[in-house]
Amino acid sequence: MTTKYALVTGGSRGIGRAVCVKLAQMGYDILINYTSNTAEAEKTLALVREAGQQGELLKFDVSNRAETRAALEAWGEAHPDDYIEVLVNNAGIRRDNILALMPESDWERVLDITLGGFYNVTQPLLQPMMFHKFGRIINMASISGLKGMPGQTNYSAAKGGIIAATKALAQEVARKNVTVNAVAPGFIRTDMVEGLDEAALKKTIPANRFGKPEEVAELVGFLVSPAASYITGNVISISGGLYT
Ligand code: NAP
């Protein structure tokens, strides 16, 4: 049986880690990308192995085009007969501030990682997916990209851009059996929401709680599965009813 590979950007922690585990449970070998946190990435790798699959760490900053290309090319050279059939563009950061006070570095960093990272990682993986006539691309967006959140103009712009890119790319590659979808989480309990007032915020959520990374991973797993083969160009919210 040939090995099937999935690449999860930002796989060291949070939602990305849960997605790595879910895809491993579905029989994928996992390429775990991260940028700095090797200890956490190693923990994800151990969980992937516990799920019965192989994994490898791919350390690169998705916003750095040269570094990203070099890492993907090196992987391709080491695996001449394989290709990455599932890509989860999950790496992301937030740098919140009202726009009037936002330094340009915070504007640029958020867009560079989310939108630049989408281009840098996705573009080189498309040809092999189309050649093999199978691929699954899942982009981690956010409710902020649908609704627009005050204090998150940079993040909302980046996530809104990812949603539009998802819809455009889906139409380019659908004939080749490559689906492209976005997932838009609300508040999910990870390091990213550390410091937020959960008790106050959960009152704004109809389900009255933050979500779990594993709940997002289940949705990603469904979109990767054969059952979702006719779903493409969509953005699916997972938010406990927040902004429906
Ligand atoms: P998290 O716990 O902060 O984890 C972020 C992950 O992204 C880490 O693995 C981190 O790697 C990686 N990363 C950050 N910058 C990177 C870069 N330049 N290159 C490669 N990897 C990078 O975040 P999370 O909550 O799981 O969020 C995952 C995704 O879901 C993000 O796109 C986020 O915007 C989105 N999202 C989250 C929520 C939420 O409530 N948590 C809601 C909506 C959307 P290191 O460990 O090496 O730092």
Side-chain angles (χ1 to χ4, degrees), residues 38 54 68-69 71 123 145 174 242 244:
T38 305
Q54 301 299 316
T68 302
R69 290 286 157 111
Q123 201 276 343
L242 182 70
T244 56

Side-chain angles (χ1 to χ4, degrees), residues 5-216:
Y5 292 93
L7 167 61
V8 181
T9 69
S12 51
R13 293 183 283 127
I15 293 171
R17 170 182 286 166
V19 169
C20 289
V21 173
K22 177 66 197 173
L23 296 179
Q25 288 165 349
M26 291 170 70
Y28 285 93
D29 276 10
I30 312 293
L31 315 183
I32 304 161
N33 160 257
Y34 67 106
T35 185
S36 60
N37 211 328
T38 305
E40 293 300 313
E42 296 277 5
K43 284 187 202 162
T44 302
L45 180 58
L47 292 169
V48 163
R49 289 182 176 145
E50 261 175 49
Q53 294 297 130
Q54 301 299 316
E56 63 185 284
L57 304 187
L58 280 191
K59 182 176 188 284
F60 59 87
D61 177 344
V62 296
S63 71
N64 183 323
R65 190 160 305 149
E67 203 180 305
T68 302
R69 290 286 157 111
L72 295 178
E73 277 171 25
W75 188 86
E77 279 160 20
H79 299 80
D81 300 325
D82 300 312
Y83 83 109
I84 295 167
E85 68 171 55
V86 174
L87 165 63
V88 183
N89 283 307
N90 166 79
I93 60 161
R94 63 182 183 92
R95 292 281 182 275
D96 298 351
N97 211 330
I98 57 168
L99 192 65
L101 298 178
M102 186 179 292
E104 79 183 61
S105 57
D106 284 355
W107 174 263
E108 283 171 358
R109 194 71 190 126
V110 169
L111 269 86
D112 284 354
I113 291 176
T114 296
L115 281 179
F118 165 79
Y119 174 81
N120 296 340
V121 181
T122 309
Q123 201 276 343
L125 301 186
L126 281 172
Q127 292 280 6
M129 286 184 188
M130 291 195 285
F131 176 79
H132 288 93
K133 296 196 174 54
F134 184 85
R136 292 280 191 267
I137 299 172
I138 318 289
N139 299 317
M140 203 53 69
S142 167
I143 291 293
S144 302
L146 290 168
K147 180 188 176 293
M149 291 287 270
Q152 288 196 319
T153 308
N154 50 356
Y155 187 82
S156 301
K159 295 301 193 183
I162 274 296
I163 288 168
T166 299
K167 293 179 180 180
L169 179 60
Q171 295 171 73
E172 292 181 5
V173 297
R175 273 173 185 274
K176 299 291 185 187
N177 207 21
V178 177
T179 67
V180 189
N181 290 289
V183 166
F187 292 103
I188 308 298
R189 197 177 292 127
T190 68
D191 294 345
M192 187 175 271
V193 300
E194 199 92 320
L196 297 186
D197 185 347
E198 184 171 343
L201 284 168
K202 76 177 190 183
K203 292 187 190 134
T204 68
I205 304 169
N208 197 37
R209 66 173 177 88
F210 280 16
K212 298 182 216 150
E214 293 74 19
E215 291 174 308
V216 181

